[in-house]
Amino acid sequence: MIRLYSVSKAYQPGKNTLEDLTLRIREGEFTFLTGVSGAGKSTLLKLLFGAERVTGGQVLIQGRHLGRIGRKLPLLRREIGVVFQDFKLISNRNVFENVAVTLEVQGVGAKEIRKRVEHVLRSVGLENRQLSYPPQLSGGEQQRVSVARAIIGQPKILLADEPTGNLDDESARGVMDLLHDAHRKGATVVVATHDSSLYSESYQRVIKLSRGSIAADSRPVPMEDE
């Protein structure tokens, strides 16, 4: 599903954010990326989404080489849902419109869009906020809109960058429940977080990054093909 071979990423010459990173994430895995601020978590997610390009090495998503994908990258992104750390909501679009944009890009019809958006907004507890605009929402509400937008297209891969970083405990549990629900429905999920409480008692894979390299990789429950 996701493969990285000897990947490095430098924003400045001679200063690598990621260093010789080789990694495989199998289809259907739920993986946490951990590490202190600056360890390379967000950069790694950006590489997987194609928002950044590697300095060296290769990134393959579903067998497709991101360094050679060119104009087909937007098509691949339709299969990837992203929960951004800073939400990236469209300020002049209301909640309904922010979530609907994912389906509009996929060419879904208006009737089906309304049905699916209303359903997902109920699932995140925002059915009464669909006509509100991002500046009118709390941080927790904006994060739930971001999650709704990421999951509504039923992506094969779901990437989440610090999805609970701005939330109270109750809201954080709600967001993680949504990510786990997407996983149960078949999505391969990668969550970057510095919050050890999210994974300390989980049975999911945990990859710890340190200075752009993998410092630890634990998977308590073996995959079926191992």
Side-chain angles (χ1 to χ4, degrees):
M1 174 63 75
I2 298 172
R3 291 177 179 265
L4 287 78
Y5 297 98
S6 300
V7 165
S8 62
K9 175 62 180 178
Y11 292 101
Q12 301 176 19
K15 189 176 181 180
N16 283 351
T17 302
L18 295 176
E19 180 72 44
D20 194 27
L21 196 151
T22 295
L23 173 65
R24 177 187 179 190
I25 297 175
R26 292 169 173 79
E27 183 175 0
E29 276 196 289
F30 192 117
T31 301
F32 287 100
L33 297 177
T34 75
V36 300
S37 178
K41 304 185 299 296
S42 295
T43 295
L44 178 52
L45 291 188
K46 289 176 183 178
L47 293 179
L48 298 182
F49 184 56
E52 296 283 355
R53 300 190 63 162
V54 300
T55 304
Q58 301 178 359
V59 177
L60 279 70
I61 305 294
Q62 294 185 304
R64 285 169 280 188
H65 191 315
L66 293 194
R68 302 172 184 167
I69 198 168
R71 296 179 181 178
K72 294 182 180 180
L73 179 59
L75 293 177
L76 176 62
R77 283 179 171 171
R78 294 183 185 182
E79 301 175 10
I80 303 174
V82 184
V83 181
F84 296 99
Q85 188 173 0
D86 57 353
F87 313 139
K88 295 194 184 300
L89 301 180
I90 305 170
S91 61
N92 63 352
R93 290 196 178 193
N94 61 36
V95 167
F96 183 97
E97 293 166 337
N98 265 279
V99 176
V101 69
T102 299
L103 300 180
E104 291 170 357
V105 169
Q106 294 179 351
V108 177
K111 185 176 180 180
E112 180 66 14
I113 286 177
R114 175 157 295 279
K115 175 183 175 181
R116 289 169 64 175
V117 171
E118 289 180 347
H119 173 75
V120 78
L121 289 180
R122 283 194 298 272
S123 74
V124 299
L126 292 174
E127 63 270 27
N128 296 323
R129 299 289 266 159
Q130 59 181 295
L131 298 181
S132 299
Y133 288 82
Q136 299 171 315
L137 304 176
S138 68
E141 288 171 331
Q142 290 186 55
Q143 187 66 296
R144 282 184 279 159
V145 175
S146 180
V147 172
R149 182 181 58 190
I151 66 177
I152 193 170
Q154 299 174 335
K156 295 179 179 178
I157 298 172
L158 183 55
L159 310 175
D161 191 3
E162 299 287 358
T164 63
N166 300 292
L167 306 181
D168 57 47
D169 289 345
E170 183 178 355
S171 296
R173 285 193 296 271
V175 166
M176 289 308 300
D177 285 345
L178 291 168
L179 298 181
H180 283 291
D181 185 58
H183 176 243
R184 285 191 291 270
K185 292 177 179 177
T188 301
V189 181
V190 183
V191 177
T193 182
H194 68 275
D195 185 354
S196 61
S197 69
L198 298 184
Y199 58 83
S200 59
E201 297 182 1
S202 78
Y203 291 94
Q204 309 297 349
R205 184 179 184 185
V206 180
I207 298 173
K208 182 179 180 180
L209 298 181
S210 178
R211 298 181 180 181
S213 298
I214 296 176
D217 185 350
S218 63
R219 187 191 296 123
V221 179
M223 298 293 286
E224 292 182 358
D225 61 347
E226 295 186 333

